[in-house]
Amino acid sequence: MRFRIQNPIERFFSRVWNPVEQLPSLEDHLLDTTGLDSRSPGDLDTFIRSLGEQLSIEIEVITNAPTADTDLETEFGVSMTVAEMLYDPASEKAVIFVPTHIREDHFLFFKFVLHEVSHLVSGHPIPVLDSARDVWWPPKRLARSTPGRDLHHNEREADLRAEWSLMVALTGRETQDAENHETTF
Amino acid sequence: MNAYQITLIGVGLIGLLGFFVFWGFLTLSDRYGTGLSRRTREAVKIAVLSEITFFVCVVVTVILQDGESWLGEVRYLPWIISGVPLALIFGYIARRQAETLLYVAEHPKLRIFLSSVTYILLLDWVLISLTGSAFAVIPDAMPEIPTGSAAAILERIPLLAPEVICLAAISVVFWKSGEPRTPSSVLRIRNKLFSAGTMCWLVVELIEMSFPLTDAFLAEREAVFVSSVLTLMQALILALSIVFWLLGFIKHRSRTDLDIWRERFLEWSRLREMLGIARAKIRFQSNRVLMTHEYHLSASAKCLGLSEDDRRKAILTLHMTCVLSEATSHDLFYKRELRVQREDLLKCATLQDHLRRSNAISSSFELRLTDGSDRASYGLRDDLLYEVLRPTLWITQIPLQTDISRCPLWTQLAALSAAHAGLLAFDSQQKIFTSRKLHSDVVSTYKLSMDISSRERI
């Protein structure tokens, strides 16, 4: 486990303080990511670049070439992991690694890139490249809520944000904007 | 039969009717989408099923026990003995419920708690039945059990505890479905209201369980007073429960088209992700037969002059057929916690149909990302996996009813390849091999590819 485990007392107080798991709703997500993708919702290049600019970090998406790194490809293939984001301290950038077998399916590719990017939006700790234990906490985040250390909660939050981003990207922000649907919200 | 028994049977039947209405609501809502996930709905249905079983048990118990405590009564020996298999059946259903709840709750501690309670309950039933049998064999050993003693409380536990657990499970399920993962705020409020309604019902049952305590620990006069207060509280909480449920139904009716659209989108997205991952991961299941036939299929598609898209669709169909095959689906579930069923493919295709037709998504919206020098793009209208979902269902149906020869060449090729790879049921395989209607070029090219390959090996 790469993340520092909360001690039982800390965990107890965190549960008492926050008994129901708080996940962002679509409305929360739209508010958090205001200004990121208003011009062209489907263009993830712009989305990722503007996110990087706001967080002052470079984000790079890497996929395996079909013939190269077959060991790594197999490692990803046999494991439960689908894609992974690591922080490279040497180049000071976040690297999102998507194996080729996932890259082939464009839906999965986008979903998991958005999932990993969502960790940055929420300010979740990111594992450091070539280190089994260290994590890097992004100095800035877009989400209003404070990031937690619970790995499962973070994954669920990133998953949900990825789904909201996908929905917004495929339909346009205007369709989902809360202001246009006062009666619904 | 005395008045008490008639009342109990009446209550049981009303409860049964209520649960059928509840079941009907869930089934009806499935058609239009409830905002609950498939697993959640399964969990609730199993909970309801176990609840109905419980009511049937209560009614049968009341009819058979004839107003007396069944413990130690020789003439009820067959009932006591039959209680053991009944307890086992109930325990099994309750265990299934606890297991299914895992998917909903995603909370291991809750699962452990529910499993433990179920096992304790099962043990409780077995012990009561065995003790009863022992008393029945030695009638003199049967003690006099006064009403209102601890034994009376214990007697209520096996009857009401399953109901308490079921209600708690349903309440948790609705509470979890009230979280932001459910797309619309209307549905979130509705689920929270349903959860509150069920919780009130749960409190009513807990009060019912505690009634004998008043007789056991209080003087007669005080006990009468406390009992009447508790009855009043029960009535009030029950009324509150009905109010919550009614408000929930009112909220349910106020969903907008956008709410329905959003929940369909989320459900489609999760199904599409699951199917995509299952397809991508099967290559790493050390399935040599699949790899071999993927190679033959690819070679045959090239010989037949199929377009690149058709070749890829044929390969995807072969992969999806493999995902649905018994051995692979077992591996996917136990090694990767992916449970893919035929219904998932159909549901995903149907939801994607709805989304493709909807006005919210125009053709101009698609995802684009430059990855190195490659540019990836995804649009709902050019999703190859979507296009192979229905052909996969045609090929894998048992018995094979679709006339494969009327399908496009790539589907015929995929069906033939799946049959050679042993991914289809035996009857379907035989039907495909012996079918004279399959395009002759498809059969001959595939055979040629296999022959060349086997010669190369020699």
Side-chain angles (χ1 to χ4, degrees):
Chain A
M1 193 69 81
R2 289 188 177 94
F3 298 92
R4 189 171 76 81
I5 297 165
Q6 283 177 311
N7 65 52
I9 298 166
E10 201 179 346
R11 201 183 306 145
F12 172 77
F13 281 111
S14 134
R15 287 273 156 79
V16 170
W17 182 250
N18 189 13
V20 178
E21 192 178 34
Q22 295 293 319
L23 290 170
S25 65
L26 175 60
E27 295 81 1
D28 293 333
H29 181 69
L30 285 171
L31 282 171
D32 289 343
T33 56
T34 306
L36 271 188
D37 55 347
S38 55
R39 203 162 44 85
S40 175
D43 190 351
L44 286 195
D45 284 321
T46 318
F47 182 86
I48 292 175
R49 197 170 45 247
S50 59
L51 175 69
E53 279 166 11
Q54 290 209 19
L55 301 180
S56 315
I57 180 178
E58 196 184 333
I59 305 164
E60 190 182 2
V61 180
I62 296 179
T63 50
N64 260 357
T67 48
D69 280 334
T70 43
D71 287 348
L72 195 58
E73 184 72 23
T74 313
E75 202 178 302
F76 266 89
V78 294
S79 75
M80 301 273 282
T81 314
V82 178
E84 189 150 32
M85 176 162 61
L86 299 166
Y87 176 70
D88 183 0
S91 55
E92 293 184 349
K93 63 182 175 186
V95 182
I96 299 170
F97 183 78
V98 186
T100 315
H101 63 273
I102 297 296
R103 167 72 167 82
E104 282 171 359
D105 184 339
H106 288 184
F107 172 83
L108 285 185
F109 176 56
F110 285 109
K111 181 106 192 247
F112 282 98
V113 168
L114 284 170
H115 172 99
E116 299 303 338
V117 163
S118 298
H119 282 302
L120 286 173
V121 171
S122 309
H124 294 157
I126 300 166
V128 174
L129 188 71
D130 296 330
S131 165
R133 300 180 67 84
D134 298 339
V135 290
W136 175 74
W137 287 84
K140 291 183 195 169
R141 65 171 190 274
L142 296 184
R144 288 159 301 159
S145 54
T146 317
R149 292 193 185 94
D150 182 352
L151 183 64
H152 295 293
H153 175 270
N154 289 353
E155 289 302 321
R156 275 197 293 275
E157 185 179 341
D159 222 18
L160 188 57
R161 280 189 189 275
E163 281 165 350
W164 295 143
S165 301
L166 197 66
M167 189 184 276
V168 173
L170 279 170
T171 58
R173 196 182 175 96
E174 298 76 23
T175 318
Q176 306 298 337
D177 230 324
E179 288 166 18
N180 295 330
H181 297 279
E182 283 169 5
T183 49
T184 312
F185 302 103
Chain B
M1 221 181 279
N2 58 28
Y4 174 69
Q5 285 174 313
I6 293 168
T7 315
L8 258 186
I9 292 172
V11 168
L13 289 175
I14 291 167
L16 199 62
L17 191 72
F19 274 110
F20 272 122
V21 171
F22 181 52
W23 179 285
F25 156 71
L26 276 173
T27 315
L28 190 73
S29 308
D30 275 3
R31 213 175 295 154
Y32 305 106
T34 46
L36 305 176
S37 71
R38 187 170 54 85
R39 280 170 175 164
T40 312
R41 290 197 299 266
E42 276 174 16
V44 176
K45 280 181 182 174
I46 289 171
V48 173
L49 189 68
S50 53
E51 188 60 43
I52 289 170
T53 315
F54 163 70
F55 268 118
V56 171
C57 290
V58 169
V59 172
V60 172
T61 310
V62 171
I63 291 168
L64 288 180
Q65 85 180 55
D66 200 22
E68 300 290 328
S69 167
W70 71 70
L71 295 177
E73 296 286 340
V74 180
R75 62 180 183 277
Y76 303 127
L77 192 60
W79 160 244
I80 291 163
I81 293 169
S82 70
V84 178
L86 206 66
L88 289 172
I89 293 166
F90 186 81
Y92 173 73
I93 293 171
R95 193 174 180 283
R96 280 290 309 274
Q97 176 192 328
E99 273 179 359
T100 320
L101 198 75
L102 165 76
Y103 297 120
V104 183
E106 292 173 357
H107 201 299
K109 280 181 189 165
L110 185 64
R111 188 198 183 198
I112 291 165
F113 168 75
L114 273 170
S115 299
S116 316
V117 169
T118 309
Y119 282 123
I120 291 167
L121 199 70
L122 178 67
L123 199 68
D124 187 35
W125 273 77
V126 173
L127 275 176
I128 283 180
S129 303
L130 289 178
T131 319
S133 314
F135 284 139
V137 176
I138 320 160
D140 295 340
M142 174 69 189
E144 285 291 319
I145 304 171
T147 328
S149 69
I153 302 163
L154 281 174
E155 217 177 49
R156 286 198 172 205
I157 290 174
L159 287 176
L160 292 175
E163 193 173 3
V164 167
I165 294 168
C166 289
L167 288 172
I170 292 172
S171 185
V172 169
V173 162
F174 274 121
W175 184 263
K176 294 295 288 182
S177 309
E179 286 177 1
R181 205 171 168 81
T182 300
S184 122
S185 59
V186 176
L187 290 180
R188 287 199 297 272
I189 295 168
R190 185 206 62 183
N191 293 338
K192 288 264 164 77
L193 284 167
F194 282 171
S195 175
T198 320
M199 242 180 265
C200 286
W201 202 349
L202 178 71
V203 175
V204 170
E205 293 302 335
L206 286 173
I207 294 174
E208 186 65 37
M209 275 177 95
S210 62
F211 264 121
L213 289 172
T214 54
D215 288 338
F217 297 109
L218 298 173
E220 198 180 336
R221 208 172 146 191
E222 287 167 332
V224 170
F225 174 72
V226 172
S227 292
S228 55
V229 170
L230 285 177
T231 313
L232 188 69
M233 273 175 64
Q234 259 189 324
L236 285 173
I237 297 168
L238 204 59
L240 199 64
S241 165
I242 292 166
V243 169
F244 277 132
W245 276 88
L246 278 176
L247 287 174
F249 276 112
I250 292 166
K251 228 29 189 161
H252 176 73
R253 289 179 65 85
S254 68
R255 285 188 308 160
T256 62
D257 288 347
L258 186 71
D259 294 328
I260 296 167
W261 189 89
R262 278 181 180 179
E263 80 198 44
R264 276 184 186 154
F265 187 95
L266 280 201
E267 186 155 14
W268 163 77
S269 159
R270 285 160 204 170
L271 280 171
R272 177 66 182 74
E273 181 187 327
M274 180 180 75
L275 296 178
I277 294 176
R279 190 209 68 81
K281 294 282 185 183
I282 50 160
R283 288 193 203 161
F284 301 92
Q285 304 269 58
S286 49
N287 192 340
R288 280 183 180 280
V289 180
L290 179 74
M291 302 289 268
T292 311
H293 285 279
E294 187 181 325
Y295 170 78
H296 294 320
L297 193 151
S298 189
S300 309
K302 276 180 188 160
C303 286
L304 285 166
L306 296 184
S307 67
E308 181 58 21
D309 269 3
D310 282 354
R311 189 185 69 85
R312 288 196 57 205
K313 277 194 274 187
I315 292 172
L316 286 175
T317 311
L318 180 69
H319 287 169
M320 290 314 291
T321 312
C322 183
V323 166
L324 288 181
S325 71
E326 205 175 320
T328 315
S329 107
H330 183 273
D331 273 7
L332 283 172
F333 181 63
Y334 286 101
K335 289 183 187 164
R336 302 181 195 279
E337 296 173 10
L338 289 170
R339 188 193 283 266
V340 182
Q341 292 169 321
R342 286 175 59 82
E343 297 82 56
D344 297 326
L345 273 70
L346 186 62
K347 181 124 202 191
C348 183
T350 314
L351 287 169
Q352 197 153 343
D353 280 340
H354 282 300
L355 295 175
R356 282 156 65 106
R357 278 200 301 267
S358 81
N359 295 327
I361 297 179
S362 72
S363 54
S364 60
F365 285 117
E366 61 168 25
L367 293 156
R368 292 178 302 278
L369 180 66
T370 313
D371 162 33
S373 57
D374 259 357
R375 192 166 175 80
S377 70
Y378 176 80
L380 275 171
R381 289 181 173 81
D382 46 42
D383 186 351
L384 289 185
L385 192 74
Y386 157 77
E387 288 180 41
V388 307
L389 293 179
R390 285 207 172 86
T392 308
L393 290 172
W394 300 336
I395 293 170
T396 53
Q397 66 188 345
I398 303 171
L400 188 66
Q401 285 166 342
T402 313
D403 184 0
I404 302 285
S405 62
R406 298 178 71 178
C407 296
L409 277 185
W410 63 264
T411 315
Q412 294 187 34
L413 193 59
L416 188 68
S417 181
H420 277 292
L423 299 172
L424 303 179
F426 182 73
D427 287 350
S428 308
Q429 281 182 33
Q430 292 307 311
K431 229 176 200 174
I432 289 171
F433 288 148
T434 53
S435 170
R436 289 173 190 279
K437 287 184 186 168
L438 276 189
H439 200 289
S440 55
D441 285 354
V442 171
V443 181
S444 54
T445 321
Y446 201 83
K447 199 161 179 292
L448 186 68
S449 169
M450 284 170 66
D451 283 350
I452 292 170
S453 175
S454 58
R455 264 185 226 146
E456 275 173 1
R457 238 179 283 144
I458 292 163

